[in-house]
Amino acid sequence: MKYISEIMPSLLSGTKVTVELFVITLLLAIPIGILLALGLRSRFRLLKIILEAYVWLMRGTPLLLQLIFIFYGLPTIGIVFERFVAAVIAFVLNYAAYFAEIFRGGLQSVSQEQSEAAALLGLSKQQAFRFVIMPQVVKIVLPSMGNEVINLVKDSSLVYVLGIGDLLRAGNVATARDVTLVPLVLVGIIYLLLTGILTYIQNKIERGFSYYE
Amino acid sequence: MNNPTALQLIDVTKSFAHKKVLDGVNLQVGVGEILSIVGPSGVGKTTLLRTILGLETVDQGQFKVNNQAFNPKDHSQNKIGIVFQDFRLFPNLTVLQNIMLAPLRVQKVPHDKVDGDVQQLLNLLQLEEQKDYYPFQLSGGQKQRVAIARALILRPQILCYDEPTSALDAQNKSQVSELLRTFKERQITQLVVTHDLEFAHEVSDRMFNLGEQTQ
Ligand SMILES: Nc1ncnc2c1ncn2[C@@H]1O[C@H](COP(=O)(O)OP(=O)(O)OP(=O)(O)O)[C@@H](O)[C@H]1O
Ligand SMILES: [Mg+2]
């Protein structure tokens, strides 16, 4: 027990880093993902092709490679980022692509007919999107977004390779130093708590959207 | 036809790929008139309606509303309303919200004024009990009446229906034809695209047979 309270501060500060990365990534990747999704449905072929290539690149290569590429690779051509910034860039670029695919699917499944009906009532494209299309898309994408959000918590441990003091690193350092399994078990428990809280929130939100079918 | 012209189509032509669906359609509808557009399946009734609504781009032809050139793609004036065959209510909004969305956001009518209008419409269309329901909680006939209310609240001069009886039983049908007559008294011009010849005979002042293209 005494040992646990000794290592807890370092684990909690690691948790703080993990949560920060998580929150910043979500706040940036969701709006970018929505914009990408709109671009993917655009009439401009060139834009579409570029964005499709981008999504393919981000989803078709390992996130770990992308992290290493940005932090260790880019400096060889003179582009240098601070550790945490490099991590944020990689995560946002990667997750925005996943979110874009989810939102694109959501937009596709809200029928063209709904847009027509809104247009005929005189609603502008923006009004139709805000009051009619987006609320329906959100309901549709909630389950898959929930999965990705949980994945993000776990993926955040990949920043280990950049030497960032996240939760996993904090646990690993303590285990190596004190030769005990306890820190890693605690790390596991903290991850479970984080994903548990997120699952709870996800269920709440989904229930919030179950008022219509 | 001795009342003034509400809607006029001049030489409206529309092809899909190389198939000419509408071949120089000429059509006039008087103010307050109920015109049924009939004809065999695939003849282009829905397409004609969609051109009037600006949902299809015509190859050729003109539109006039009240004898003035009219661009069907401009929906900002809410001159023409539509009740779709599948109603197309917004599933994320209640009956009340479905009806009030456009007057509040497009026409920017003050809230208390819209409230009054909605109340009257709910009465007329017997939807009072359902005003806080979501579309999935409504019967087919109720959905249609919400779609009618949603169009009517914008005070269109012309109201169009695509196959208004296709989802209705006999009782609902006679209720709808009664409604159409009520709207006629209010000088609303109505265009009814339908397969249902019996209904067309019962409700309309005049029939336009698209297959024959005569008037
Ligand atoms: N978007 C489209 N692309 C290609 N062809 C189309 C399109 N819409 C309609 N058509 C064709 O135009 C013709 C007329 O179709 P329309 O739906 O207007 O017929 P309709 O008279 O309403 O038939 P119904 O009574 O069965 O509803 C059909 O041959 C149809 O295949
Ligand atoms: Mg049709």
Side-chain angles (χ1 to χ4, degrees), chain B residues 165-214:
Chain B
T165 61
S166 62
L168 302 181
D169 60 17
Q171 194 194 337
N172 273 314
K173 249 196 222 185
S174 69
Q175 193 181 8
V176 169
S177 46
E178 214 168 289
L179 280 173
L180 263 68
R181 269 181 237 117
T182 311
F183 304 152
K184 180 182 170 63
E185 281 164 24
R186 300 183 182 182
Q187 292 291 297
I188 297 172
T189 305
Q190 297 174 89
L191 248 61
V192 185
V193 164
T194 185
H195 272 114
D196 187 340
L197 286 178
E198 192 191 339
F199 179 76
H201 275 294
E202 183 193 327
V203 84
S204 53
D205 300 310
R206 196 159 55 95
M207 308 235 265
F208 178 80
N209 192 323
L210 194 55
E212 295 169 5
Q213 308 235 343
T214 50

Coordinates of all heavy atoms in Angstrom, one line a residue, chain B residues 165-214:
Chain B
T165 N -52.6 9.8 -52.5 CA -53.5 8.7 -51.9 C -52.8 7.4 -51.8 O -53.4 6.4 -51.4 CB -54.8 8.6 -52.8 OG1 -54.4 8.2 -54.1 CG2 -55.6 9.8 -52.8
S166 N -51.5 7.3 -52.3 CA -50.9 6.0 -52.4 C -50.8 5.3 -51.1 O -50.8 4.1 -51.0 CB -49.6 6.1 -53.1 OG -48.7 6.9 -52.3
A167 N -50.7 6.0 -50.0 CA -50.5 5.4 -48.7 C -51.8 5.4 -47.8 O -51.7 5.2 -46.6 CB -49.4 6.0 -47.9
L168 N -52.9 5.7 -48.4 CA -54.1 6.0 -47.6 C -55.2 5.0 -47.8 O -55.4 4.5 -48.9 CB -54.7 7.4 -47.9 CG -53.7 8.6 -47.7 CD1 -54.4 9.9 -48.0 CD2 -53.1 8.6 -46.3
D169 N -56.0 4.7 -46.7 CA -57.2 4.0 -46.8 C -58.4 4.9 -47.2 O -58.2 6.1 -47.3 CB -57.5 3.2 -45.5 CG -57.7 4.2 -44.4 OD1 -57.9 5.4 -44.6 OD2 -57.6 3.7 -43.2
A170 N -59.5 4.3 -47.4 CA -60.7 5.0 -48.0 C -61.0 6.2 -47.1 O -61.3 7.3 -47.6 CB -61.9 4.1 -48.1
Q171 N -61.0 6.0 -45.8 CA -61.4 7.1 -44.9 C -60.4 8.3 -44.9 O -60.8 9.4 -45.0 CB -61.5 6.5 -43.4 CG -62.3 7.4 -42.5 CD -62.0 7.1 -41.1 OE1 -61.7 5.9 -40.8 NE2 -62.2 8.0 -40.2
N172 N -59.1 7.9 -44.9 CA -58.1 9.0 -45.0 C -58.2 9.7 -46.3 O -58.0 10.9 -46.4 CB -56.7 8.4 -44.8 CG -56.3 8.3 -43.4 OD1 -56.5 9.3 -42.6 ND2 -55.8 7.2 -43.0
K173 N -58.6 8.9 -47.4 CA -58.7 9.5 -48.7 C -59.7 10.6 -48.7 O -59.5 11.7 -49.3 CB -59.1 8.4 -49.7 CG -58.0 8.0 -50.7 CD -58.7 7.3 -51.8 CE -57.8 6.1 -52.2 NZ -58.4 5.4 -53.4
S174 N -60.9 10.3 -48.1 CA -62.0 11.3 -48.2 C -61.6 12.5 -47.3 O -62.0 13.6 -47.7 CB -63.3 10.7 -47.8 OG -63.3 10.4 -46.5
Q175 N -60.9 12.2 -46.3 CA -60.4 13.4 -45.5 C -59.5 14.3 -46.3 O -59.6 15.5 -46.2 CB -59.7 12.8 -44.2 CG -59.5 13.9 -43.2 CD -58.7 13.4 -42.0 OE1 -58.3 12.2 -42.0 NE2 -58.6 14.2 -40.9
V176 N -58.6 13.7 -47.1 CA -57.7 14.5 -47.9 C -58.5 15.3 -48.9 O -58.2 16.4 -49.1 CB -56.6 13.6 -48.5 CG1 -55.8 14.4 -49.6 CG2 -55.7 13.1 -47.5
S177 N -59.4 14.6 -49.6 CA -60.1 15.4 -50.6 C -60.9 16.5 -50.0 O -61.0 17.6 -50.6 CB -61.0 14.5 -51.5 OG -61.8 13.6 -50.7
E178 N -61.4 16.3 -48.8 CA -62.1 17.4 -48.1 C -61.1 18.6 -47.8 O -61.4 19.8 -48.0 CB -62.6 16.9 -46.7 CG -63.9 17.5 -46.3 CD -64.5 16.7 -45.1 OE1 -64.9 15.6 -45.3 OE2 -64.4 17.2 -44.0
L179 N -59.9 18.2 -47.4 CA -58.8 19.2 -47.1 C -58.5 20.0 -48.4 O -58.4 21.3 -48.4 CB -57.5 18.6 -46.6 CG -57.5 18.2 -45.2 CD1 -56.3 17.4 -44.8 CD2 -57.6 19.4 -44.3
L180 N -58.4 19.3 -49.5 CA -58.1 20.0 -50.8 C -59.2 21.0 -51.1 O -58.8 22.1 -51.6 CB -57.9 19.0 -51.9 CG -56.5 18.6 -52.2 CD1 -55.9 17.7 -51.1 CD2 -56.4 17.8 -53.6
R181 N -60.4 20.7 -50.8 CA -61.5 21.6 -51.1 C -61.4 22.8 -50.2 O -61.7 23.9 -50.6 CB -62.9 20.9 -51.0 CG -63.3 20.4 -52.3 CD -64.6 19.7 -52.2 NE -64.5 18.3 -52.7 CZ -64.7 17.2 -52.0 NH1 -65.1 17.3 -50.7 NH2 -64.5 16.0 -52.5
T182 N -61.0 22.6 -48.9 CA -60.8 23.7 -48.0 C -59.8 24.6 -48.5 O -59.9 25.9 -48.4 CB -60.4 23.2 -46.6 OG1 -61.3 22.1 -46.2 CG2 -60.5 24.3 -45.5
F183 N -58.7 24.1 -48.9 CA -57.6 24.9 -49.4 C -58.0 25.7 -50.7 O -57.6 26.8 -50.9 CB -56.3 24.1 -49.7 CG -55.8 23.3 -48.6 CD1 -55.1 22.1 -48.7 CD2 -56.1 23.7 -47.3 CE1 -54.7 21.3 -47.7 CE2 -55.7 22.9 -46.2 CZ -55.0 21.8 -46.4
K184 N -58.9 25.0 -51.5 CA -59.4 25.7 -52.7 C -60.1 27.0 -52.3 O -60.0 28.0 -53.0 CB -60.2 24.7 -53.5 CG -60.8 25.3 -54.7 CD -61.7 24.3 -55.4 CE -62.5 24.9 -56.6 NZ -61.6 25.4 -57.6
E185 N -60.9 26.8 -51.3 CA -61.7 28.0 -50.8 C -60.8 29.1 -50.4 O -61.1 30.3 -50.5 CB -62.6 27.6 -49.6 CG -63.9 26.9 -50.0 CD -64.5 26.2 -48.8 OE1 -64.3 26.7 -47.7 OE2 -65.2 25.2 -49.1
R186 N -59.6 28.8 -50.0 CA -58.6 29.8 -49.6 C -57.8 30.3 -50.8 O -56.8 30.9 -50.7 CB -57.6 29.3 -48.6 CG -58.3 28.8 -47.3 CD -57.3 28.4 -46.3 NE -58.0 27.9 -45.1 CZ -57.3 27.5 -44.0 NH1 -56.0 27.5 -44.0 NH2 -58.0 27.1 -42.9
Q187 N -58.3 29.9 -52.0 CA -57.6 30.3 -53.3 C -56.2 29.8 -53.5 O -55.4 30.4 -54.1 CB -57.6 31.9 -53.3 CG -58.9 32.5 -53.4 CD -59.5 32.3 -54.8 OE1 -59.0 32.7 -55.8 NE2 -60.6 31.5 -54.8
I188 N -55.9 28.7 -52.8 CA -54.6 28.0 -53.1 C -54.8 27.2 -54.3 O -55.7 26.4 -54.5 CB -54.2 27.1 -51.9 CG1 -54.0 28.0 -50.7 CG2 -52.9 26.4 -52.2 CD1 -53.7 27.2 -49.4
T189 N -53.9 27.3 -55.2 CA -53.8 26.5 -56.5 C -53.2 25.2 -56.2 O -52.2 25.1 -55.5 CB -53.0 27.3 -57.5 OG1 -53.5 28.6 -57.7 CG2 -53.0 26.5 -58.8
Q190 N -53.8 24.1 -56.6 CA -53.3 22.8 -56.3 C -53.1 21.9 -57.5 O -53.9 21.8 -58.4 CB -54.2 22.1 -55.3 CG -54.3 22.9 -54.0 CD -55.4 22.4 -53.0 OE1 -55.1 21.5 -52.2 NE2 -56.6 22.9 -53.1
L191 N -51.9 21.3 -57.4 CA -51.5 20.3 -58.5 C -51.4 18.9 -57.9 O -50.6 18.7 -57.0 CB -50.1 20.7 -59.0 CG -50.0 21.3 -60.4 CD1 -50.9 22.5 -60.5 CD2 -48.6 21.6 -60.8
V192 N -52.1 18.0 -58.5 CA -52.2 16.7 -57.9 C -51.7 15.6 -58.9 O -52.4 15.4 -59.9 CB -53.6 16.3 -57.4 CG1 -53.6 14.9 -56.7 CG2 -54.2 17.4 -56.5
V193 N -50.5 15.1 -58.7 CA -50.0 14.0 -59.5 C -50.5 12.7 -59.0 O -50.3 12.4 -57.8 CB -48.5 14.0 -59.6 CG1 -48.0 12.7 -60.1 CG2 -48.0 15.1 -60.4
T194 N -51.3 12.0 -59.8 CA -51.8 10.7 -59.2 C -52.1 9.6 -60.2 O -52.3 9.9 -61.4 CB -53.2 11.1 -58.5 OG1 -53.6 9.9 -57.8 CG2 -54.2 11.6 -59.4
H195 N -52.1 8.4 -59.8 CA -52.5 7.2 -60.5 C -54.0 7.0 -60.3 O -54.6 6.3 -61.1 CB -51.8 6.0 -59.9 CG -50.5 5.6 -60.4 ND1 -49.4 5.7 -59.6 CD2 -50.1 5.2 -61.6 CE1 -48.4 5.3 -60.4 NE2 -48.8 5.1 -61.6
D196 N -54.5 7.6 -59.3 CA -55.8 7.2 -58.7 C -56.9 8.0 -59.5 O -57.2 9.1 -59.1 CB -55.8 7.5 -57.2 CG -57.0 7.0 -56.5 OD1 -58.0 6.8 -57.2 OD2 -56.9 6.9 -55.3
L197 N -57.4 7.4 -60.5 CA -58.3 8.2 -61.4 C -59.6 8.5 -60.6 O -60.2 9.6 -60.8 CB -58.6 7.4 -62.6 CG -57.5 7.3 -63.7 CD1 -57.9 6.5 -64.9 CD2 -57.1 8.8 -64.1
E198 N -60.0 7.6 -59.8 CA -61.2 7.9 -59.0 C -61.1 9.1 -58.1 O -61.9 10.0 -58.1 CB -61.5 6.6 -58.1 CG -62.9 6.6 -57.5 CD -63.0 5.5 -56.4 OE1 -62.1 4.6 -56.5 OE2 -63.8 5.6 -55.6
F199 N -59.9 9.2 -57.5 CA -59.6 10.3 -56.6 C -59.5 11.6 -57.5 O -60.0 12.6 -57.1 CB -58.3 10.1 -55.9 CG -57.9 11.2 -55.0 CD1 -58.5 11.4 -53.7 CD2 -56.8 12.0 -55.4 CE1 -58.1 12.5 -52.9 CE2 -56.4 13.1 -54.5 CZ -57.1 13.3 -53.3
A200 N -58.8 11.4 -58.6 CA -58.7 12.6 -59.5 C -60.0 13.1 -59.9 O -60.2 14.4 -59.9 CB -57.8 12.2 -60.7
H201 N -60.9 12.2 -60.3 CA -62.2 12.7 -60.7 C -63.0 13.4 -59.6 O -63.6 14.4 -59.8 CB -63.1 11.5 -61.2 CG -62.8 11.1 -62.6 ND1 -63.2 11.9 -63.7 CD2 -62.2 10.0 -63.2 CE1 -62.8 11.4 -64.8 NE2 -62.3 10.2 -64.6
E202 N -62.8 12.8 -58.4 CA -63.6 13.3 -57.3 C -63.1 14.7 -56.9 O -63.9 15.6 -56.6 CB -63.4 12.4 -56.1 CG -64.3 12.8 -54.9 CD -63.9 12.0 -53.7 OE1 -63.5 10.9 -53.8 OE2 -64.0 12.6 -52.6
V203 N -61.8 14.9 -56.9 CA -61.2 16.1 -56.3 C -60.9 17.2 -57.2 O -60.9 18.4 -56.9 CB -60.0 15.7 -55.5 CG1 -58.8 15.6 -56.4 CG2 -59.8 16.6 -54.3
S204 N -60.7 16.9 -58.5 CA -60.1 18.0 -59.3 C -61.1 18.7 -60.2 O -62.1 18.2 -60.5 CB -59.0 17.4 -60.2 OG -59.4 16.3 -60.9
D205 N -60.7 19.9 -60.5 CA -61.6 20.7 -61.4 C -61.3 20.3 -62.9 O -62.1 20.4 -63.7 CB -61.2 22.2 -61.3 CG -61.5 22.7 -59.9 OD1 -62.6 22.5 -59.4 OD2 -60.5 23.3 -59.3
R206 N -60.1 19.8 -63.1 CA -59.6 19.5 -64.5 C -58.5 18.5 -64.4 O -57.8 18.4 -63.4 CB -59.1 20.8 -65.1 CG -59.0 20.8 -66.6 CD -58.9 22.3 -67.1 NE -57.9 23.1 -66.4 CZ -56.7 23.2 -66.9 NH1 -56.4 22.7 -68.1 NH2 -55.8 23.9 -66.2
M207 N -58.5 17.7 -65.5 CA -57.4 16.7 -65.5 C -56.5 17.0 -66.7 O -56.9 17.4 -67.7 CB -58.0 15.3 -65.7 CG -59.0 15.0 -64.7 SD -58.7 13.5 -63.8 CE -59.6 12.4 -64.7
F208 N -55.2 16.8 -66.4 CA -54.2 17.0 -67.5 C -53.6 15.6 -67.7 O -52.9 15.0 -66.9 CB -53.2 18.0 -67.0 CG -52.1 18.2 -68.0 CD1 -52.3 19.0 -69.1 CD2 -50.8 17.6 -67.9 CE1 -51.2 19.2 -70.0 CE2 -49.8 17.8 -68.8 CZ -50.0 18.6 -69.9
N209 N -53.9 15.0 -68.9 CA -53.3 13.7 -69.2 C -52.0 13.9 -69.9 O -51.9 14.2 -71.1 CB -54.3 12.9 -70.1 CG -53.9 11.5 -70.2 OD1 -52.8 11.1 -70.2 ND2 -54.9 10.6 -70.2
L210 N -50.9 13.6 -69.2 CA -49.6 13.8 -69.7 C -49.3 13.0 -71.0 O -48.6 13.4 -71.9 CB -48.6 13.6 -68.6 CG -47.2 14.1 -68.9 CD1 -47.2 15.6 -69.2 CD2 -46.2 13.8 -67.8
G211 N -49.9 11.8 -71.0 CA -49.7 10.9 -72.2 C -50.2 11.5 -73.4 O -49.6 11.5 -74.5
E212 N -51.3 12.2 -73.3 CA -51.9 12.8 -74.5 C -51.4 14.2 -74.8 O -51.5 14.7 -75.9 CB -53.4 12.8 -74.4 CG -54.0 11.4 -74.3 CD -55.5 11.5 -73.9 OE1 -56.0 12.6 -73.7 OE2 -56.0 10.4 -73.6
Q213 N -51.0 14.9 -73.7 CA -50.5 16.3 -73.9 C -51.5 17.2 -74.5 O -51.1 18.0 -75.3 CB -49.2 16.3 -74.7 CG -48.1 15.3 -74.2 CD -46.8 16.0 -74.0 OE1 -46.6 17.1 -74.4 NE2 -46.0 15.4 -73.2
T214 N -52.7 17.0 -74.1 CA -53.7 18.0 -74.6 C -54.3 18.6 -73.4 O -54.2 18.1 -72.3 CB -54.8 17.3 -75.4 OG1 -55.3 16.2 -74.6 CG2 -54.4 16.8 -76.7

